[in-house]
Amino acid sequence: MKTLVVYASKYGATERYARWLGEETGGKVLELREALRADLTGYDTVAVGGGLYAGGFAAADFLKKRAAELKQVRTALFTVGLSDPEDPANVSHIRSELERAFPAGVLSGIRQFHLRGGMDYGKLGPLHRVMMAMFKKMMEKKERDEGPTAEGRGVLESYGKCVDFTDRSALKPLAAYCRGE
Ligand SMILES: Cc1cc2nc3c(=O)[nH]c(=O)nc-3n(C[C@H](O)[C@H](O)[C@H](O)COP(=O)(O)O)c2cc1C
């Protein structure tokens, strides 16, 4: 089974998962900009990974622009975010945001996997720093009004810190899917 791994990563967590997946599957790994021009023929599986930023999926462009070709090949999508995918509420939140972000039909037939990344506040760009400060305020208000949520806890407990939840073993189901198992 020949695999292509495509990734879009701003702070490095998605790239780390993409490289691990490349090792697990013996596949080729390409960054998004290169992948947009790549020839997709000859691959059995294409796995597309992206960081989540305010619900947006960093590799969305690839899925949209190559949608017709991706219908001909087994395709997996993997998101990398701070919220814990062990919590089903977080997974359904990510999936509904993805559904809203793509034209109808683009995601049909694409298997979705959700992985946990990290955050180093010292490395955030100015826009992302402001966005996270706003997000923290929103989460604090939500907690006051509705009580704690897993998403809110994740943001508030790691706010201002350097956290890294990347875990190679979390890739196992995705690697098995890519290998056709
Ligand atoms: C501005 C901003 C918004 C974010 N929004 C989300 C989000 O909606 N959901 C989530 O799970 N993680 C969110 N994160 C956390 C990132 O997804 C996490 O840092 C991830 O590791 C980023 O991937 P990368 O390291 O490959 O860039 C956000 C991070 C930033 C800086």
Coordinates of all heavy atoms in Angstrom, one line a residue, residues 2-6 40 43-48 62-63 69-70 73-77 110 177-178:
K2 N 0.7 2.1 -1.0 CA 1.6 3.3 -1.1 C 0.8 4.5 -0.5 O -0.3 4.7 -0.9 CB 1.9 3.5 -2.6 CG 3.3 4.1 -2.7 CD 3.7 4.2 -4.2 CE 4.6 5.4 -4.4 NZ 4.7 5.8 -5.7
T3 N 1.4 5.1 0.4 CA 0.8 6.2 1.1 C 1.4 7.6 0.9 O 2.7 7.7 0.9 CB 0.8 6.0 2.7 OG1 0.0 4.8 2.9 CG2 0.1 7.1 3.5
L4 N 0.6 8.6 0.7 CA 1.1 10.0 0.7 C 0.6 10.7 1.9 O -0.6 10.6 2.2 CB 0.7 10.7 -0.6 CG 1.0 12.2 -0.6 CD1 2.5 12.4 -0.7 CD2 0.3 12.9 -1.8
V5 N 1.5 11.3 2.7 CA 1.1 12.1 3.8 C 1.3 13.6 3.5 O 2.4 14.0 3.2 CB 1.9 11.7 5.1 CG1 1.4 12.4 6.3 CG2 1.9 10.2 5.3
V6 N 0.2 14.3 3.6 CA 0.2 15.8 3.4 C 0.0 16.5 4.7 O -0.9 16.1 5.4 CB -0.9 16.1 2.4 CG1 -1.0 17.6 2.2 CG2 -0.7 15.4 1.0
L40 N -0.9 12.8 -7.8 CA -1.4 11.9 -6.8 C -1.6 10.5 -7.4 O -2.0 9.6 -6.6 CB -2.8 12.4 -6.3 CG -2.8 13.8 -5.7 CD1 -4.2 14.1 -5.1 CD2 -1.8 13.9 -4.6
Y43 N -0.8 6.4 -5.7 CA -1.0 6.2 -4.2 C -2.2 5.5 -3.9 O -3.3 5.7 -4.6 CB -1.0 7.6 -3.5 CG 0.3 8.3 -3.6 CD1 0.5 9.4 -4.4 CD2 1.4 7.9 -2.8 CE1 1.8 10.0 -4.5 CE2 2.6 8.6 -2.8 CZ 2.8 9.6 -3.7 OH 4.0 10.2 -3.8
D44 N -2.2 4.6 -3.0 CA -3.4 3.9 -2.5 C -4.1 4.7 -1.5 O -5.3 4.6 -1.4 CB -3.0 2.5 -1.9 CG -2.2 1.7 -2.9 OD1 -2.8 1.3 -3.9 OD2 -1.0 1.4 -2.6
T45 N -3.4 5.4 -0.7 CA -4.0 6.2 0.4 C -3.3 7.6 0.4 O -2.1 7.7 0.3 CB -3.7 5.5 1.8 OG1 -4.1 4.2 1.7 CG2 -4.5 6.3 2.9
V46 N -4.1 8.6 0.7 CA -3.6 9.9 0.9 C -4.1 10.3 2.3 O -5.3 10.3 2.6 CB -4.1 11.0 -0.1 CG1 -3.6 12.4 0.2 CG2 -3.6 10.5 -1.5
A47 N -3.2 10.7 3.2 CA -3.6 11.1 4.6 C -3.3 12.6 4.7 O -2.1 13.0 4.4 CB -2.8 10.3 5.6
V48 N -4.3 13.4 5.1 CA -4.1 14.8 5.0 C -4.3 15.4 6.5 O -5.3 15.2 7.1 CB -5.2 15.5 4.1 CG1 -5.0 17.0 4.0 CG2 -5.2 14.8 2.8
F62 N -6.0 21.9 0.5 CA -5.6 20.7 -0.3 C -6.9 19.8 -0.5 O -7.1 19.3 -1.7 CB -4.6 19.9 0.5 CG -4.1 18.6 -0.3 CD1 -3.2 18.7 -1.3 CD2 -4.7 17.4 0.0 CE1 -2.8 17.5 -2.0 CE2 -4.3 16.2 -0.6 CZ -3.4 16.3 -1.7
L63 N -7.7 19.6 0.5 CA -8.9 18.8 0.3 C -9.9 19.4 -0.7 O -10.5 18.7 -1.4 CB -9.6 18.6 1.7 CG -8.8 17.7 2.7 CD1 -9.6 17.7 4.0 CD2 -8.6 16.3 2.2
E69 N -9.8 14.3 -7.4 CA -8.8 13.2 -7.5 C -8.9 12.4 -6.2 O -8.7 11.2 -6.2 CB -7.4 13.8 -7.6 CG -7.1 14.5 -8.9 CD -6.1 15.6 -8.7 OE1 -6.5 16.7 -8.3 OE2 -4.9 15.3 -9.0
L70 N -9.2 13.1 -5.1 CA -9.2 12.3 -3.8 C -10.4 11.4 -3.7 O -10.4 10.4 -2.9 CB -9.2 13.3 -2.6 CG -7.9 14.1 -2.4 CD1 -8.1 15.2 -1.3 CD2 -6.7 13.2 -2.1
V73 N -9.3 7.8 -4.5 CA -8.3 7.1 -3.7 C -8.7 7.1 -2.2 O -9.5 8.0 -1.9 CB -6.9 7.9 -3.9 CG1 -7.0 9.3 -3.4 CG2 -5.8 7.2 -3.2
R74 N -8.3 6.1 -1.5 CA -8.7 6.1 -0.1 C -8.1 7.3 0.6 O -6.8 7.5 0.5 CB -8.1 4.8 0.6 CG -8.5 4.6 2.0 CD -7.4 3.9 2.8 NE -6.8 2.9 2.1 CZ -7.1 1.6 2.3 NH1 -8.0 1.3 3.3 NH2 -6.5 0.6 1.7
T75 N -8.9 8.1 1.3 CA -8.4 9.3 1.9 C -8.7 9.4 3.4 O -9.8 9.0 3.8 CB -9.0 10.6 1.2 OG1 -8.8 10.5 -0.2 CG2 -8.4 11.9 1.7
A76 N -7.7 9.8 4.1 CA -7.9 10.0 5.6 C -7.6 11.5 5.9 O -6.7 12.1 5.2 CB -7.0 9.1 6.4
L77 N -8.3 12.0 6.9 CA -8.0 13.4 7.3 C -7.6 13.3 8.8 O -8.2 12.5 9.5 CB -9.3 14.2 7.1 CG -9.6 15.5 7.8 CD1 -10.9 16.0 7.1 CD2 -9.8 15.4 9.2
I110 N -14.3 10.4 3.4 CA -13.0 10.6 4.0 C -13.1 10.2 5.4 O -13.9 10.7 6.2 CB -12.6 12.1 3.8 CG1 -12.5 12.5 2.4 CG2 -11.3 12.4 4.6 CD1 -12.0 13.9 2.1
Y177 N -5.1 2.1 9.1 CA -6.1 2.5 8.0 C -5.3 2.7 6.7 O -5.6 2.2 5.7 CB -6.9 3.7 8.4 CG -7.9 4.1 7.4 CD1 -9.0 3.4 7.2 CD2 -7.6 5.3 6.6 CE1 -9.9 3.8 6.2 CE2 -8.6 5.7 5.6 CZ -9.7 4.9 5.4 OH -10.6 5.3 4.5
C178 N -4.2 3.5 6.9 CA -3.3 3.8 5.7 C -2.8 2.5 5.1 O -2.6 2.4 3.9 CB -2.2 4.7 6.0 SG -2.7 6.4 6.5

